[in-house]
Amino acid sequence: MPQPYTSDSANLYRIETTRKAVILTMLGGEELRGNVFIHFSSYRPFELEDVSELLNADTPFFPLELENSEVILVPKERVAEAAADRGTDTSDQPPREAPIPTALLQVVLVGGEVCLGSIRLDAPPARARVLDYLNALTSRFLTLYTSNEARLINRSLIDRVRPLD
């Protein structure tokens, strides 16, 4: 006989999350402010995932808690850009032991908007080239780091990239 559904049994399968403030710019230009729900990373045990992991995951939708506490479901394909406040951290991801080479870029979007920031080239310093990094990138969003936030830009909206280093 199947066991009856109880709130205790539901809690056994509950995944703990924490909120992370974001500002989403949708394809139509609308700005949505609120919190995404972050859980433990599948790539880094015992650490929380970052916003780029959430938006680059295979799932097509994610929940967004708006400033009025309403929760909506947002399709990732309709997000043009996401900005995550970096606060006192220096990145959207935890620091690593060895320094990662970076490149300063000017990214021009399809509508003409210009974004300035840096990317992290996950390659040995002697082989770290912007072209190789962009050609190998398979994620939906490019993470561009500015002085106070990590901007996640939908790659399908990038018109051109100019390396500034």
Side-chain angles (χ1 to χ4, degrees):
M1 176 172 230
Q3 187 166 350
Y5 177 81
T6 66
S7 62
D8 289 340
S9 62
N11 285 335
L12 290 175
Y13 301 104
R14 184 181 171 119
I15 298 172
E16 291 297 318
T17 61
T18 189
R19 289 172 170 84
K20 175 87 174 179
V22 296
I23 301 169
L24 303 179
T25 305
M26 305 305 290
L27 288 179
E30 181 183 9
E31 198 172 85
L32 301 176
R33 292 175 180 267
N35 294 302
V36 291
F37 300 94
I38 303 295
H39 52 80
F40 282 102
S41 174
S42 56
Y43 301 109
R44 297 180 315 277
F46 310 111
E47 294 180 24
L48 291 173
E49 70 181 351
D50 56 40
V51 176
S52 65
E53 286 178 273
L54 172 72
L55 292 179
N56 285 315
D58 290 336
T59 54
F61 286 82
F62 65 96
L64 177 71
E65 180 185 48
L66 299 173
E67 291 176 325
N68 66 4
S69 298
E70 178 187 3
V71 176
I72 61 171
L73 303 176
V74 180
K76 295 174 184 175
E77 289 182 358
R78 302 293 302 166
V79 175
E81 185 177 317
D85 185 4
R86 289 171 38 179
T88 58
D89 294 338
T90 57
S91 73
D92 190 34
Q93 299 177 352
R96 299 184 189 186
E97 293 76 30
I100 296 173
T102 61
L104 186 60
L105 301 179
Q106 177 188 62
V107 178
V108 180
L109 303 180
V110 170
E113 180 184 353
V114 177
C115 305
L116 296 174
S118 62
I119 59 170
R120 293 191 177 138
L121 303 169
D122 290 327
R127 299 184 60 207
R129 293 187 332 160
V130 172
L131 178 62
D132 296 333
Y133 175 81
L134 292 176
N135 282 335
L137 192 63
T138 58
S139 59
R140 180 181 284 124
F141 291 87
L142 169 72
T143 304
L144 190 67
Y145 297 95
T146 66
S147 60
N148 60 352
E149 65 187 4
R151 294 177 73 178
L152 297 138
I153 300 170
N154 190 324
R155 286 186 322 125
S156 68
L157 301 177
I158 295 175
D159 190 57
R160 59 188 173 277
V161 174
R162 175 177 288 134
L164 299 176
D165 291 352

